[in-house]
Amino acid sequence: MELVGTYGKHSDLNASIGLSDLGNQFWNLSPAELVEDTIITGQGVLTDTGALAIETGEFTGRSPKDRFVVFDEKTENSVWWGDVNIKFDAGKFDALYNRMKAYLNGKDVYVRDAYACADPTFAMNIRVVTEFPWSNMFAYNMFLRPEAHEIENFLPEWHIVCAPGFKADPAIDGTRQHNFAILNFTKKMILIGGTGYTGEIKKGIFSVLNYVLPHEKNVLSMHCSANIGNEEHDTAIFFGLSGTGKTTLSSDENRRLIGDDEHGWAESSVFNFEGGCYAKTIDLTREKEPQIYDAIKFGAILENIGFSGGSTPDYTDNSITENTRVSYPIHHIDNIAEPSIGSTPKNIFFLTADAFGVLPPISKLTKEQAMYHFMSGYTAKVAGTEVGITEPTTTFSACFGAAFLPLHPAKYAKLLGEKLNGTDINVWLINTGWTGGSYGVGSRMKLSYTRAMITAALTGKLDDVAYETLPIFDLAMPTSCENVPSEILNPRATWADKKAYDDTANNLASKFVKNFEKFAAETDANILAAAPKVLAV
Ligand code: ATP
Ligand code: MN
C-alpha cells in the first residue's frame, strides 16, 4: 500500500504513533481531491453553491458525557476532574488505541498536517489521521494551513486519530457507550471514535490549548470570537456559549474578522487558534448574515442540511438536526485580519441568549460584575421543541465554555482579572435572547438591533448617553441607542405583565446566586458583592 499526496520527511505513522498495516495513506490532499473522494465513495454530494454536503451520522453534535481525559502523573493534580473532565485510565487508553489500530488495519486513511495558534510564539503542530475524507477536509478548513514548504520538515506535536466507524465496547474499553473523545496529555494524542461529528476534532484541540496556554505559557485561552475595526484597529472579543451569537456577531462588514470561536490573549495580543469558521446554517438567509451566506461556496462543507429539491440547500430544514453547520477556511470571509492577530481588546462582550427575557439587550458591567458574569457563564436555552413546553432552562458554564476547560475555572478568571485590572477596557453584557416576555410570550431580539447596539458600543456612541439601573441585577443600561427603539432597552418595560417580570427576574437571580455558591470560598468579596440581589418574597 502506498503514500499518496504531499508529505514530508516525518511521515512514518508507524514510527510516530504505531499505525501500521494501513491501506493507502492519502497525505494532505487538496480540498478538490477530498471532495472528489467523498463523492465517489457516496459519503457526500455537491450542492449548487459549490459546497460539499455531508451527513455526520448518528451524532450531529458533541457528546460531552463521552469526553474523557487520561488520568496520569501529568494530569492528576492539574486537571479539574468532574463531569466535564471525566477520568480515563491510562492503560485502558492504550488498549483502546490498540483496538482502533486493528480496526484501521488494511483501511485507507487520510492524513492532514496542520497547526493551531496564529501567533508563531504559540504555534502547535497537529497531525490528524482520519478514516473519512470529509473529516480530513474539516481539519483543513478549521485549523491553520502550513505552506507547502513547511510540510517538508513538518514535525507533529499532537496527533488526532478519528475513526467514526470504530465503535467501542464499554465492557472492554471502559467507555460509557460506543462513541468517545479521549484526550491524553502525556502521549499528546486525541482519540475519537464512534462519532462522525466534526466539532469533536476542533473542540478536542481547543481543550488541549485550554490546558497548555494558561498552565504553561501564562496566556488566557478563551471561548470567544474576535474582530478589529477597519479604521480604529480596535479589537473586540465576544464570549458566549453555543448559540449566543459569537459567529454571527463577529462577522461585521465594518470590522475585520480575527476568528469566530477560539482565541488566546497573550501579553499584548489576541490571536486566533484556528484557520476557519464553523457557522450554524439553520434559517440562514443572505439578508441577515451575508458574509456567512456568501462563504458557502466550493471548499465549504455543509453538515446535516436538507435540500429543496435537487442540489439546492434548504437552510430551513431541521429534519436531521437544529445544529446544521458549515465549515470553511477563514479566507472565505472577505474582510479578515491577516494574520489572525489583534491588539489588546478595547471592548469585551459577554453574549447570553436569555430565553427568560430578563436581562437587558445591552448593559455595561463594572469590573466586579464582569468577573462575576465571567465565572457564572450564563445562558438559557429553550427547553425543547415539544408543544406546550415553554419553560427555558438555565445553563451556567464557567468562563462561557466550561465544557472545554481542563483546568479549574478560577485559573482562567484570575488571568482575565489581571488583564482587566487598572485598564479602561469596556465590558458589555448583551442579551441576544428574548424580549417582551420569556420564550413562548416574548420574541427573540432582532439581530439588526443587536448589531446596532454592538456598533454603538464599539464606536463610542454609548459613552455619553444617559444610563439607568436595572433592579435586582444592578445593571447599567443605556436609555437610548442609535438605530434601536428606546422602548426595548429596558427589559421590564417590554413586558406587559410587570409582576411576571419581577418574579421571573427574581427567580433567575436566585439561580445565579445558587450557581455561584461553589465559587464563593475562593472569590474576593468585591466580586461576590456584584451578585444579583434576590428580593425577599
Ligand atoms: P457556537 O459556539 O455553537 O458556534 P455561536 O455563539 O457562534 O455558537 P451563532 O452560530 O452565532 O452562535 O448562533 C447564533 C444564532 O442565533 C444564529 O443562527 C443567528 O442567526 C441567531 N440569532 C437570532 N437572533 C439573534 C441576535 N439577536 N443576535 C445574535 N444571533 C441571533
Ligand atoms: Mn460559532
Side-chain angles (χ1 to χ4, degrees):
M1 295 291 134
E2 49 175 338
L3 271 65
V4 181
T6 311
Y7 50 91
K9 293 201 280 252
H10 310 285
S11 58
D12 185 344
L13 293 179
N14 191 13
S16 56
I17 53 168
L19 266 184
S20 59
D21 304 312
L22 297 164
N24 294 312
Q25 298 175 29
F26 298 106
W27 282 75
N28 296 306
L29 296 191
S30 66
E33 291 167 312
L34 292 167
V35 167
E36 207 169 46
D37 279 14
T38 302
I39 293 171
I40 287 172
T41 53
Q43 298 178 70
V45 296
L46 205 59
T47 66
D48 64 6
T49 64
L52 177 71
I54 55 103
E55 288 183 10
T56 58
E58 182 187 355
F59 292 91
T60 56
R62 288 181 308 102
S63 187
K65 288 189 175 137
D66 302 296
R67 174 192 178 276
F68 306 92
V69 178
V70 170
F71 180 85
D72 61 16
E73 230 167 75
K74 177 155 193 193
T75 55
E76 181 174 4
N77 295 312
S78 52
V79 165
W80 175 48
W81 301 107
D83 297 347
V84 169
N85 300 296
I86 307 167
K87 286 180 188 169
F88 203 82
D89 180 79
K92 288 267 184 203
F93 178 92
D94 295 341
L96 173 58
Y97 184 42
N98 278 335
R99 288 187 0 96
M100 280 179 89
K101 285 192 248 183
Y103 169 80
L104 290 171
N105 238 291
K107 287 199 170 61
D108 292 352
V109 295
Y110 296 82
V111 190
R112 170 69 47 197
D113 291 339
Y115 67 100
C117 298
D119 184 330
T121 317
F122 306 106
M124 188 181 86
N125 283 352
I126 307 161
R127 179 164 286 164
V128 190
V129 181
T130 68
E131 178 182 7
F132 298 144
W134 46 269
S135 319
N136 197 271
M137 190 167 152
F138 176 84
Y140 174 88
N141 283 355
M142 294 306 299
F143 295 135
L144 287 151
R145 294 159 285 275
E147 306 276 339
H149 72 269
E150 292 171 309
I151 296 285
E152 177 56 25
N153 293 307
F154 187 91
L155 246 187
E157 184 180 346
W158 274 79
H159 284 87
I160 302 178
V161 180
C162 172
F166 172 82
K167 306 234 187 300
D169 178 344
I172 301 172
D173 298 309
T175 53
R176 187 182 72 109
Q177 47 181 40
H178 60 278
N179 63 305
F180 57 87
I182 313 175
L183 280 67
N184 187 328
F185 284 95
T186 300
K187 300 217 156 136
K188 299 192 173 181
M189 277 192 88
I190 300 173
L191 302 182
I192 299 169
T195 170
Y197 185 62
T198 55
E200 300 279 7
I201 298 173
K202 103 181 202 91
K203 284 300 199 306
I205 289 298
F206 185 43
S207 298
V208 168
L209 292 166
N210 279 328
Y211 180 93
V212 174
L213 294 177
H215 192 60
E216 298 169 7
K217 315 213 162 158
N218 205 36
V219 170
L220 173 61
S221 52
M222 308 177 288
H223 188 215
C224 70
S225 58
N227 63 21
I228 313 180
N230 280 350
E231 262 127 58
E232 305 281 328
H233 308 295
D234 61 302
T235 300
I237 58 178
F238 306 78
F239 284 95
L241 291 164
S242 186
T244 58
K246 291 183 299 301
T247 300
T248 297
L249 296 169
S250 59
S251 78
D252 177 336
E253 58 184 15
N254 297 311
R255 303 180 61 86
R256 282 173 292 139
L257 182 67
I258 302 175
D260 92 325
D261 197 54
E262 309 173 4
H263 293 82
W265 185 345
E267 197 124 350
S268 58
S269 70
V270 164
F271 62 92
N272 194 355
F273 293 166
E274 303 181 287
C277 304
Y278 194 38
K280 289 185 217 311
T281 57
I282 199 73
D283 297 328
L284 180 67
T285 62
R286 186 161 198 288
E287 185 210 345
K288 280 190 292 187
E289 305 190 51
Q291 296 190 311
I292 293 170
Y293 192 92
D294 289 342
I296 302 177
K297 56 185 184 184
F298 181 80
I301 310 173
L302 289 159
E303 296 181 5
N304 304 315
I305 60 154
F307 293 88
S308 58
S311 54
T312 305
D314 175 3
Y315 297 125
T316 66
D317 188 332
N318 62 355
S319 55
I320 299 180
T321 174
E322 279 292 323
N323 187 32
T324 55
R325 292 268 182 172
V326 60
S327 68
Y328 45 83
I330 193 164
H331 54 254
H332 279 209
I333 299 281
D334 50 22
N335 51 336
I336 57 172
E338 288 178 280
S340 304
I341 302 178
S343 52
T344 298
K346 190 173 167 205
N347 288 282
I348 297 177
F349 297 92
F350 292 162
L351 308 175
T352 178
D354 173 23
F356 289 100
V358 163
L359 296 177
I362 185 165
S363 53
K364 194 169 181 185
L365 304 181
T366 64
K367 293 268 147 62
E368 291 76 23
Q369 287 176 329
M371 294 305 292
Y372 185 87
H373 282 274
F374 185 67
M375 293 290 286
S376 297
Y378 164 73
T379 197
K381 287 180 206 151
V382 175
T385 43
E386 266 174 73
V387 189
I389 297 189
T390 54
E391 177 72 353
T393 55
T394 55
T395 305
F396 290 97
S397 178
C399 314
F400 298 102
F404 321 114
L405 303 183
L407 307 173
H408 191 281
K411 174 82 188 176
Y412 309 90
K414 182 167 170 287
L415 282 171
L416 181 69
E418 287 166 9
K419 294 194 180 292
L420 290 180
N421 274 337
T423 69
D424 54 7
I425 299 170
N426 302 311
V427 185
W428 309 88
L429 180 66
I430 303 283
N431 176 10
T432 65
W434 267 250
T435 179
S438 296
Y439 173 80
V441 177
S443 56
R444 188 141 186 206
M445 184 63 55
K446 266 192 176 167
L447 179 53
S448 58
Y449 292 163
T450 302
R451 286 198 196 278
M453 288 182 258
I454 286 173
T455 300
L458 287 170
T459 51
K461 292 199 174 126
L462 296 180
D463 292 350
D464 303 314
V465 298
Y467 279 75
E468 61 177 323
T469 304
L470 182 74
I472 303 178
F473 282 87
D474 200 24
L475 294 167
M477 313 176 287
T479 55
S480 62
C481 177
E482 198 171 271
N483 298 321
V484 180
S486 297
E487 309 86 80
I488 68 156
L489 294 173
N490 181 329
R492 191 170 186 271
T494 67
W495 285 50
D497 183 343
K498 307 295 177 206
K499 165 101 177 41
Y501 176 85
D502 293 340
D503 291 347
T504 310
N506 215 33
N507 189 13
L508 179 60
S510 57
K511 286 178 173 152
F512 266 85
V513 170
K514 185 157 192 323
N515 168 67
F516 214 87
E517 279 166 7
K518 58 181 179 282
F519 300 130
E522 58 210 295
T523 305
D524 291 345
N526 59 334
I527 295 169
L528 288 175
K533 309 287 175 298
V534 182
L535 304 175
V537 275

